[in-house]
Amino acid sequence: MDDKTITRAHLTDIVYREIGLSHAESADMVDAFFDHIIDALKQGESVKLSSFGTFSVRQKRERIGRNPKTKQEVPITARKVVTFHSSNILSDRLNKNSGASQTVSSSPNQG
């Protein structure tokens, strides 16, 4: 893969090559995986993928923002946003042999 972004098509191809399902079955499996995550998040559940991280939904309140070009104040409506907290295992794997200093997170949602 020469691209810097992994797409659903890339994931489908990986499932096809690694598991041996047909392309259609692989695509269905990848789509079902994401659909289950999205459905859980819509219901307000957190999604924890062991050794990877936790996705959760956070409610942001309404606030006043500013247009950076015109400096005019504009209302930003309340909305839900998805947050991701990587597990310590993922963080350690990302930082292994990179020379980056490792920090320990105090977030209770780590895992």
Side-chain angles (χ1 to χ4, degrees), residues 5-96:
T5 302
I6 294 181
T7 64
R8 281 185 187 226
H10 287 122
L11 294 173
T12 297
D13 189 55
I14 291 168
V15 170
Y16 168 75
R17 284 186 282 118
E18 296 289 325
I19 297 178
L21 299 176
S22 71
H23 280 290
E25 290 170 326
S26 298
D28 288 344
M29 180 181 277
V30 170
D31 288 342
F33 175 77
F34 287 115
D35 288 344
H36 285 294
I37 290 174
I38 292 166
D39 290 344
L41 292 171
K42 278 182 171 180
Q43 294 175 19
E45 299 174 30
S46 291
V47 177
K48 181 178 181 178
L49 302 175
S50 181
S51 302
F52 187 72
T54 303
F55 295 91
S56 57
V57 176
R58 194 178 106 208
Q59 182 69 40
K60 293 191 86 172
R61 62 182 173 80
E62 185 174 326
R63 63 186 176 90
I64 299 295
R66 190 176 309 276
N67 181 325
K69 286 187 179 182
T70 66
K71 308 294 186 213
Q72 181 180 3
E73 290 185 347
V74 291
I76 299 173
T77 58
R79 65 201 183 282
K80 294 178 182 176
V81 295
V82 176
T83 61
F84 175 77
H85 296 280
S86 63
S87 72
N88 289 336
I89 294 170
L90 175 60
S91 296
D92 290 345
R93 288 181 70 181
L94 288 174
N95 290 310
K96 187 176 184 179

